[in-house]
Amino acid sequence: MNTSSMHRREFLRTTSNGFGYLAFAAMAARASAAETAAGGSALAHRAPHFPARAKHVIFLCMQG
């Protein structure tokens, strides 16, 4: 498609796919910077909110 003949709606339709990704990348970068400034890594192991109570787990993977 020739860009000189592209209408406004066509332009927005083709370029709007990246706006959500850009917003997510900005929010993730801001959260990562806040976590690093707080004195830790975003990927560091943290203690759970509540102590674990489960003794056994049954995992069922059923397709169909």
Side-chain angles (χ1 to χ4, degrees), residues 11-61:
F11 174 76
L12 290 174
R13 186 181 313 132
T14 58
T15 60
S16 64
N17 294 336
F19 288 137
Y21 176 73
L22 288 174
F24 172 72
M27 290 184 341
R30 188 177 303 148
S32 177
E35 184 77 24
T36 304
S41 172
L43 301 176
H45 179 68
R46 290 181 271 178
H49 294 289
F50 303 104
R53 296 186 299 166
K55 301 291 182 198
H56 304 284
V57 175
I58 298 175
F59 178 75
L60 301 175
C61 181

